Amino acid sequence: MPNIKSAIKRVKTTNVRNAQNAAQKSAMRTAVKKAEAAIANKDVEAAKASVVNATKELDKAATKGLIHKNAAARKKSRLAKQINSLNA
């Protein structure tokens, strides 16, 4: 544990940010898994809604720097491709 006041504050803020980042990343992963599950069940309406939600979560994570923007774009593209194959 640090003794310097600014270092103590840094430890506190780091812990808070780590918790926020972990929660947001977890929410993103959950949204993507729900979308993939809905696509796997071939439930078109639920899949569309969950893909929209997953896209939103991926964009949020990319904006905050939790994942790279190209990784978010790749995952969104793959989800869109899967949902389009359901419609075809």
Side-chain angles (χ1 to χ4, degrees):
M1 193 67 195
N3 295 323
I4 298 166
K5 192 174 186 181
S6 61
I8 291 169
K9 183 179 179 184
R10 279 330 248 150
V11 168
K12 287 179 185 176
T13 56
T14 300
N15 289 338
V16 168
R17 285 186 179 176
N18 282 346
Q20 288 172 344
N21 288 343
Q24 182 142 15
K25 207 165 190 179
S26 175
M28 177 201 65
R29 286 192 193 118
T30 303
V32 170
K33 283 182 185 173
K34 280 184 181 175
E36 289 171 344
I39 290 168
N41 291 337
K42 298 187 176 166
D43 186 358
V44 177
E45 292 304 315
K48 282 184 182 179
S50 58
V51 166
V52 168
N53 187 35
T55 300
K56 184 178 169 186
E57 290 292 336
L58 285 164
D59 284 336
K60 267 193 206 176
T63 302
K64 308 255 185 222
L66 295 178
I67 59 171
H68 196 275
K69 64 182 177 119
N70 290 354
R74 183 179 65 242
K75 289 179 186 199
K76 290 189 317 189
S77 174
R78 287 179 181 169
L79 285 173
K81 194 174 179 182
Q82 288 174 342
I83 202 158
N84 288 338
S85 70
L86 274 185
N87 293 336

